mmCIF file of all heavy atoms in Angstrom:
data_model
loop_
_atom_site.group_PDB
_atom_site.id
_atom_site.type_symbol
_atom_site.label_atom_id
_atom_site.label_comp_id
_atom_site.label_asym_id
_atom_site.label_seq_id
_atom_site.Cartn_x
_atom_site.Cartn_y
_atom_site.Cartn_z
ATOM 1 N N LEU A 286 -15.169 -4.222 -5.355
ATOM 2 C CA LEU A 286 -14.247 -4.723 -4.328
ATOM 3 C C LEU A 286 -12.871 -4.985 -4.893
ATOM 4 O O LEU A 286 -11.839 -4.693 -4.275
ATOM 5 C CB LEU A 286 -14.814 -5.996 -3.689
ATOM 6 C CG LEU A 286 -16.077 -5.836 -2.837
ATOM 7 C CD1 LEU A 286 -16.604 -7.194 -2.370
ATOM 8 C CD2 LEU A 286 -15.793 -4.932 -1.646
ATOM 9 N N LEU A 287 -12.848 -5.554 -6.133
ATOM 10 C CA LEU A 287 -11.552 -5.831 -6.766
ATOM 11 C C LEU A 287 -10.810 -4.535 -7.057
ATOM 12 O O LEU A 287 -9.587 -4.418 -6.838
ATOM 13 C CB LEU A 287 -11.785 -6.621 -8.071
ATOM 14 C CG LEU A 287 -10.510 -6.976 -8.848
ATOM 15 C CD1 LEU A 287 -9.594 -7.839 -7.994
ATOM 16 C CD2 LEU A 287 -10.887 -7.720 -10.147
ATOM 17 N N ALA A 288 -11.541 -3.529 -7.536
ATOM 18 C CA ALA A 288 -10.896 -2.237 -7.835
ATOM 19 C C ALA A 288 -10.351 -1.575 -6.567
ATOM 20 O O ALA A 288 -9.263 -0.975 -6.563
ATOM 21 C CB ALA A 288 -11.903 -1.316 -8.520
ATOM 22 N N THR A 289 -11.133 -1.699 -5.495
ATOM 23 C CA THR A 289 -10.665 -1.117 -4.216
ATOM 24 C C THR A 289 -9.397 -1.789 -3.731
ATOM 25 O O THR A 289 -8.466 -1.139 -3.233
ATOM 26 C CB THR A 289 -11.771 -1.255 -3.162
ATOM 27 O OG1 THR A 289 -12.958 -0.620 -3.626
ATOM 28 C CG2 THR A 289 -11.325 -0.622 -1.839
ATOM 29 N N SER A 290 -9.342 -3.117 -3.874
ATOM 30 C CA SER A 290 -8.132 -3.849 -3.434
ATOM 31 C C SER A 290 -6.919 -3.441 -4.245
ATOM 32 O O SER A 290 -5.825 -3.219 -3.724
ATOM 33 C CB SER A 290 -8.372 -5.355 -3.541
ATOM 34 O OG SER A 290 -9.454 -5.746 -2.737
ATOM 35 N N VAL A 291 -7.112 -3.370 -5.576
ATOM 36 C CA VAL A 291 -5.990 -2.959 -6.438
ATOM 37 C C VAL A 291 -5.535 -1.539 -6.099
ATOM 38 O O VAL A 291 -4.343 -1.236 -6.052
ATOM 39 C CB VAL A 291 -6.423 -3.073 -7.913
ATOM 40 C CG1 VAL A 291 -5.337 -2.482 -8.810
ATOM 41 C CG2 VAL A 291 -6.662 -4.530 -8.262
ATOM 42 N N PHE A 292 -6.494 -0.666 -5.866
ATOM 43 C CA PHE A 292 -6.143 0.722 -5.537
ATOM 44 C C PHE A 292 -5.365 0.809 -4.229
ATOM 45 O O PHE A 292 -4.412 1.568 -4.092
ATOM 46 C CB PHE A 292 -7.441 1.544 -5.415
ATOM 47 C CG PHE A 292 -7.180 2.988 -5.088
ATOM 48 C CD1 PHE A 292 -6.799 3.872 -6.069
ATOM 49 C CD2 PHE A 292 -7.302 3.461 -3.771
ATOM 50 C CE1 PHE A 292 -6.542 5.208 -5.774
ATOM 51 C CE2 PHE A 292 -7.069 4.782 -3.482
ATOM 52 C CZ PHE A 292 -6.679 5.666 -4.473
ATOM 53 N N GLY A 293 -5.746 -0.024 -3.233
ATOM 54 C CA GLY A 293 -5.022 -0.029 -1.953
ATOM 55 C C GLY A 293 -3.612 -0.548 -2.103
ATOM 56 O O GLY A 293 -2.682 -0.070 -1.451
ATOM 57 N N LEU A 294 -3.447 -1.581 -3.006
ATOM 58 C CA LEU A 294 -2.089 -2.113 -3.204
ATOM 59 C C LEU A 294 -1.199 -1.123 -3.929
ATOM 60 O O LEU A 294 0.003 -1.031 -3.679
ATOM 61 C CB LEU A 294 -2.157 -3.439 -3.972
ATOM 62 C CG LEU A 294 -2.806 -4.614 -3.222
ATOM 63 C CD1 LEU A 294 -2.927 -5.828 -4.144
ATOM 64 C CD2 LEU A 294 -2.011 -4.969 -1.994
ATOM 65 N N LEU A 295 -1.773 -0.415 -4.860
ATOM 66 C CA LEU A 295 -0.968 0.527 -5.642
ATOM 67 C C LEU A 295 -0.675 1.807 -4.877
ATOM 68 O O LEU A 295 0.261 2.538 -5.197
ATOM 69 C CB LEU A 295 -1.715 0.875 -6.945
ATOM 70 C CG LEU A 295 -1.860 -0.282 -7.936
ATOM 71 C CD1 LEU A 295 -2.655 0.167 -9.160
ATOM 72 C CD2 LEU A 295 -0.487 -0.803 -8.368
ATOM 73 N N ARG A 296 -1.380 2.200 -3.855
ATOM 74 C CA ARG A 296 -1.201 3.467 -3.113
ATOM 75 C C ARG A 296 -0.960 3.179 -1.621
ATOM 76 O O ARG A 296 -1.805 3.431 -0.782
ATOM 77 C CB ARG A 296 -2.424 4.373 -3.288
ATOM 78 C CG ARG A 296 -2.775 4.710 -4.724
ATOM 79 C CD ARG A 296 -1.610 5.460 -5.400
ATOM 80 N NE ARG A 296 -1.331 6.699 -4.727
ATOM 81 C CZ ARG A 296 -1.938 7.843 -5.049
ATOM 82 N NH1 ARG A 296 -2.792 7.885 -6.042
ATOM 83 N NH2 ARG A 296 -1.653 8.948 -4.389
ATOM 84 N N PRO A 297 0.233 2.649 -1.229
ATOM 85 C CA PRO A 297 0.474 2.329 0.198
ATOM 86 C C PRO A 297 0.627 3.570 1.064
ATOM 87 O O PRO A 297 0.372 3.551 2.253
ATOM 88 C CB PRO A 297 1.780 1.546 0.165
ATOM 89 C CG PRO A 297 2.473 2.008 -1.078
ATOM 90 C CD PRO A 297 1.379 2.288 -2.080
ATOM 91 N N ALA A 298 1.079 4.651 0.441
ATOM 92 C CA ALA A 298 1.302 5.860 1.254
ATOM 93 C C ALA A 298 0.036 6.356 1.892
ATOM 94 O O ALA A 298 0.043 6.935 2.971
ATOM 95 C CB ALA A 298 1.906 6.959 0.370
ATOM 96 N N LEU A 299 -1.114 6.092 1.198
ATOM 97 C CA LEU A 299 -2.373 6.529 1.772
ATOM 98 C C LEU A 299 -2.666 5.784 3.053
ATOM 99 O O LEU A 299 -3.166 6.341 4.027
ATOM 100 C CB LEU A 299 -3.491 6.333 0.743
ATOM 101 C CG LEU A 299 -4.895 6.762 1.178
ATOM 102 C CD1 LEU A 299 -4.897 8.231 1.535
ATOM 103 C CD2 LEU A 299 -5.892 6.459 0.062
ATOM 104 N N LEU A 300 -2.333 4.452 3.071
ATOM 105 C CA LEU A 300 -2.553 3.681 4.289
ATOM 106 C C LEU A 300 -1.627 4.143 5.408
ATOM 107 O O LEU A 300 -2.012 4.211 6.563
ATOM 108 C CB LEU A 300 -2.350 2.192 3.996
ATOM 109 C CG LEU A 300 -3.314 1.596 2.958
ATOM 110 C CD1 LEU A 300 -2.980 0.128 2.742
ATOM 111 C CD2 LEU A 300 -4.754 1.743 3.429
ATOM 112 N N TYR A 301 -0.364 4.452 5.014
ATOM 113 C CA TYR A 301 0.567 4.962 6.037
ATOM 114 C C TYR A 301 0.029 6.230 6.668
ATOM 115 O O TYR A 301 0.112 6.442 7.863
ATOM 116 C CB TYR A 301 1.935 5.242 5.415
ATOM 117 C CG TYR A 301 2.657 3.993 4.931
ATOM 118 C CD1 TYR A 301 3.613 4.103 3.927
ATOM 119 C CD2 TYR A 301 2.374 2.757 5.463
ATOM 120 C CE1 TYR A 301 4.274 2.962 3.481
ATOM 121 C CE2 TYR A 301 3.020 1.620 5.008
ATOM 122 C CZ TYR A 301 3.972 1.714 4.013
ATOM 123 O OH TYR A 301 4.614 0.605 3.580
ATOM 124 N N ALA A 302 -0.514 7.063 5.809
ATOM 125 C CA ALA A 302 -1.050 8.319 6.314
ATOM 126 C C ALA A 302 -2.192 8.090 7.266
ATOM 127 O O ALA A 302 -2.377 8.796 8.241
ATOM 128 C CB ALA A 302 -1.494 9.207 5.152
ATOM 129 N N GLN A 303 -3.021 7.018 6.984
ATOM 130 C CA GLN A 303 -4.152 6.740 7.849
ATOM 131 C C GLN A 303 -3.695 6.318 9.242
ATOM 132 O O GLN A 303 -4.337 6.600 10.232
ATOM 133 C CB GLN A 303 -5.020 5.638 7.221
ATOM 134 C CG GLN A 303 -5.714 6.042 5.947
ATOM 135 C CD GLN A 303 -6.883 6.948 6.207
ATOM 136 O OE1 GLN A 303 -7.303 7.096 7.347
ATOM 137 N NE2 GLN A 303 -7.413 7.594 5.173
ATOM 138 N N GLU A 304 -2.527 5.617 9.316
ATOM 139 C CA GLU A 304 -2.072 5.084 10.593
ATOM 140 C C GLU A 304 -1.146 6.043 11.350
ATOM 141 O O GLU A 304 -0.818 5.798 12.482
ATOM 142 C CB GLU A 304 -1.348 3.760 10.380
ATOM 143 C CG GLU A 304 -2.264 2.655 9.862
ATOM 144 C CD GLU A 304 -1.527 1.353 9.683
ATOM 145 O OE1 GLU A 304 -0.312 1.355 9.948
ATOM 146 O OE2 GLU A 304 -2.149 0.372 9.318
ATOM 147 N N THR A 305 -0.665 7.116 10.716
ATOM 148 C CA THR A 305 0.293 8.025 11.364
ATOM 149 C C THR A 305 -0.213 9.450 11.361
ATOM 150 O O THR A 305 0.547 10.390 11.154
ATOM 151 C CB THR A 305 1.648 7.951 10.636
ATOM 152 O OG1 THR A 305 1.431 8.300 9.268
ATOM 153 C CG2 THR A 305 2.250 6.585 10.734
ATOM 154 N N ASP A 306 -1.471 9.625 11.535
ATOM 155 C CA ASP A 306 -2.071 10.959 11.622
ATOM 156 C C ASP A 306 -1.973 11.733 10.318
ATOM 157 O O ASP A 306 -2.215 12.920 10.287
ATOM 158 C CB ASP A 306 -1.439 11.790 12.731
ATOM 159 C CG ASP A 306 -1.653 11.142 14.078
ATOM 160 O OD1 ASP A 306 -2.570 10.303 14.181
ATOM 161 O OD2 ASP A 306 -0.897 11.478 15.025
ATOM 162 N N LEU A 307 -1.551 11.108 9.185
ATOM 163 C CA LEU A 307 -1.456 11.800 7.899
ATOM 164 C C LEU A 307 -2.569 11.257 7.004
ATOM 165 O O LEU A 307 -2.458 10.179 6.440
ATOM 166 C CB LEU A 307 -0.087 11.569 7.245
ATOM 167 C CG LEU A 307 1.121 12.102 8.032
ATOM 168 C CD1 LEU A 307 2.397 11.751 7.306
ATOM 169 C CD2 LEU A 307 1.007 13.598 8.201
ATOM 170 N N ARG A 308 -3.600 11.969 6.879
ATOM 171 C CA ARG A 308 -4.730 11.510 6.075
ATOM 172 C C ARG A 308 -4.759 12.219 4.754
ATOM 173 O O ARG A 308 -5.721 12.155 4.028
ATOM 174 C CB ARG A 308 -6.029 11.739 6.853
ATOM 175 C CG ARG A 308 -6.056 10.950 8.167
ATOM 176 C CD ARG A 308 -7.385 11.067 8.834
ATOM 177 N NE ARG A 308 -8.451 10.508 7.986
ATOM 178 C CZ ARG A 308 -9.750 10.556 8.289
ATOM 179 N NH1 ARG A 308 -10.122 11.164 9.388
ATOM 180 N NH2 ARG A 308 -10.654 10.031 7.494
ATOM 181 N N GLY A 309 -3.696 12.965 4.429
ATOM 182 C CA GLY A 309 -3.565 13.578 3.123
ATOM 183 C C GLY A 309 -2.615 12.772 2.265
ATOM 184 O O GLY A 309 -1.954 11.842 2.711
ATOM 185 N N GLU A 310 -2.465 13.152 1.045
ATOM 186 C CA GLU A 310 -1.634 12.413 0.102
ATOM 187 C C GLU A 310 -0.216 12.953 0.147
ATOM 188 O O GLU A 310 0.002 14.159 0.075
ATOM 189 C CB GLU A 310 -2.211 12.556 -1.317
ATOM 190 C CG GLU A 310 -1.384 11.795 -2.360
ATOM 191 C CD GLU A 310 -2.003 11.902 -3.732
ATOM 192 O OE1 GLU A 310 -3.133 12.391 -3.801
ATOM 193 O OE2 GLU A 310 -1.343 11.522 -4.698
ATOM 194 N N VAL A 311 0.788 12.058 0.283
ATOM 195 C CA VAL A 311 2.198 12.406 0.304
ATOM 196 C C VAL A 311 2.906 11.584 -0.746
ATOM 197 O O VAL A 311 2.747 10.370 -0.817
ATOM 198 C CB VAL A 311 2.826 12.126 1.676
ATOM 199 C CG1 VAL A 311 4.293 12.503 1.669
ATOM 200 C CG2 VAL A 311 2.108 12.910 2.761
ATOM 201 N N SER A 312 3.725 12.240 -1.544
ATOM 202 C CA SER A 312 4.428 11.534 -2.625
ATOM 203 C C SER A 312 5.577 10.731 -2.068
ATOM 204 O O SER A 312 6.172 11.063 -1.053
ATOM 205 C CB SER A 312 4.931 12.545 -3.654
ATOM 206 O OG SER A 312 5.896 13.375 -3.057
ATOM 207 N N GLU A 313 5.912 9.646 -2.758
ATOM 208 C CA GLU A 313 7.018 8.792 -2.327
ATOM 209 C C GLU A 313 8.351 9.494 -2.489
ATOM 210 O O GLU A 313 9.281 9.298 -1.693
ATOM 211 C CB GLU A 313 7.000 7.498 -3.158
ATOM 212 C CG GLU A 313 5.759 6.634 -2.906
ATOM 213 C CD GLU A 313 5.772 5.380 -3.757
ATOM 214 O OE1 GLU A 313 6.728 5.223 -4.542
ATOM 215 O OE2 GLU A 313 4.856 4.592 -3.598
ATOM 216 N N SER A 314 8.494 10.321 -3.495
ATOM 217 C CA SER A 314 9.759 11.058 -3.684
ATOM 218 C C SER A 314 10.016 12.005 -2.516
ATOM 219 O O SER A 314 11.158 12.184 -2.085
ATOM 220 C CB SER A 314 9.713 11.841 -4.994
ATOM 221 O OG SER A 314 8.647 12.782 -4.960
ATOM 222 N N ALA A 315 8.969 12.615 -1.965
ATOM 223 C CA ALA A 315 9.133 13.498 -0.809
ATOM 224 C C ALA A 315 9.595 12.727 0.407
ATOM 225 O O ALA A 315 10.408 13.192 1.204
ATOM 226 C CB ALA A 315 7.828 14.219 -0.519
ATOM 227 N N ILE A 316 9.050 11.478 0.543
ATOM 228 C CA ILE A 316 9.451 10.644 1.687
ATOM 229 C C ILE A 316 10.914 10.296 1.594
ATOM 230 O O ILE A 316 11.680 10.403 2.554
ATOM 231 C CB ILE A 316 8.579 9.365 1.743
ATOM 232 C CG1 ILE A 316 7.108 9.757 2.002
ATOM 233 C CG2 ILE A 316 9.099 8.422 2.816
ATOM 234 C CD1 ILE A 316 6.166 8.579 1.951
ATOM 235 N N LEU A 317 11.369 9.883 0.403
ATOM 236 C CA LEU A 317 12.788 9.520 0.226
ATOM 237 C C LEU A 317 13.694 10.734 0.434
ATOM 238 O O LEU A 317 14.758 10.639 1.046
ATOM 239 C CB LEU A 317 12.979 8.927 -1.174
ATOM 240 C CG LEU A 317 12.271 7.586 -1.421
ATOM 241 C CD1 LEU A 317 12.462 7.146 -2.862
ATOM 242 C CD2 LEU A 317 12.771 6.515 -0.469
ATOM 243 N N ALA A 318 13.307 11.876 -0.076
ATOM 244 C CA ALA A 318 14.135 13.086 0.080
ATOM 245 C C ALA A 318 14.253 13.492 1.541
ATOM 246 O O ALA A 318 15.320 13.898 2.013
ATOM 247 C CB ALA A 318 13.524 14.225 -0.744
ATOM 248 N N ASP A 319 13.165 13.407 2.276
ATOM 249 C CA ASP A 319 13.201 13.776 3.680
ATOM 250 C C ASP A 319 14.081 12.840 4.486
ATOM 251 O O ASP A 319 14.850 13.258 5.363
ATOM 252 C CB ASP A 319 11.773 13.781 4.229
ATOM 253 C CG ASP A 319 11.746 14.247 5.685
ATOM 254 O OD1 ASP A 319 11.881 15.462 5.891
ATOM 255 O OD2 ASP A 319 11.592 13.398 6.588
ATOM 256 N N GLN A 320 14.014 11.505 4.191
ATOM 257 C CA GLN A 320 14.859 10.546 4.896
ATOM 258 C C GLN A 320 16.327 10.810 4.624
ATOM 259 O O GLN A 320 17.175 10.763 5.514
ATOM 260 C CB GLN A 320 14.470 9.116 4.496
ATOM 261 C CG GLN A 320 13.091 8.687 4.990
ATOM 262 C CD GLN A 320 12.722 7.299 4.523
ATOM 263 O OE1 GLN A 320 13.429 6.719 3.691
ATOM 264 N NE2 GLN A 320 11.630 6.765 5.037
#
């Protein structure tokens, strides 16, 4: 449980993907470049 919590805190983009129809992995640099 502790490892899962740490992993969720370190990888927020995965949660964003879960809530915005993106269930794949997207890099943070790609997000900044697109914005």
